[in-house]
Amino acid sequence: MNTWLFFAALAPLLWGFSNVVDTAVRRRHVLDNFTNMWFLAAARLPLIIILIIFTWPQNLPSTGNIIGMMVAGILWMLPFVLYYRAVEFEEPSRIALLLQMSNLFILPIAFFVIGERLAG
């Protein structure tokens, strides 16, 4: 089996698991959307530190790239506030179906922002 196919099939499984865990945590333990979002971001910090340690110093990005990555991370985390707000009112199975609509927006945004074209 192709490696990319394995990872592409594993990702939705992990996202489904994540949706259920997010709902349980949101409804039973952490009732604030922003706290949930910051916890999610902070939970990734150990992985980032490990990656920096193993790539030090040969693969460290420039300061401009680091700022760009921070902005991208902020933009990545902001939709989670809306996601947690939706989890507050509805079941994760319904929310997950609507989240899959993001694929409809990827191509037009990629086309206009970075000039990506469909290859045949």
Side-chain angles (χ1 to χ4, degrees):
M1 176 165 47
N2 292 333
T3 305
W4 70 268
L5 185 59
F6 170 75
F7 288 119
L10 186 61
L13 175 70
L14 293 176
W15 280 322
F17 178 75
S18 174
N19 286 337
V20 173
V21 170
D22 283 346
T23 302
V25 169
R26 174 66 182 87
R27 290 186 181 169
R28 295 186 182 119
H29 302 290
V30 183
L31 301 179
D32 181 47
N33 296 327
F34 289 103
T35 303
N36 242 343
M37 181 190 69
W38 283 109
F39 178 74
L40 178 64
R44 295 177 180 174
L45 190 59
L47 178 62
I48 293 169
I49 292 171
I50 290 170
L51 288 174
I52 288 173
I53 289 171
F54 283 113
T55 61
W56 187 272
Q58 68 272 14
N59 294 327
L60 285 180
S62 66
T63 304
N65 287 341
I66 290 173
I67 292 171
M69 287 186 280
M70 291 175 77
V71 169
I74 291 168
L75 292 174
W76 175 258
M77 295 308 297
L78 286 177
F80 282 100
V81 174
L82 302 174
Y83 167 74
Y84 287 126
R85 183 75 173 155
V87 165
E88 187 177 338
F89 298 109
E90 193 56 65
E91 295 299 319
S93 57
R94 292 183 185 182
I95 296 168
L97 289 173
L98 290 174
L99 284 175
Q100 297 308 314
M101 287 178 46
S102 65
N103 296 327
L104 298 174
F105 300 105
I106 291 172
L107 181 61
I109 291 171
F111 177 79
F112 290 112
V113 174
I114 60 175
E116 188 171 305
R117 305 248 192 273
L118 283 176

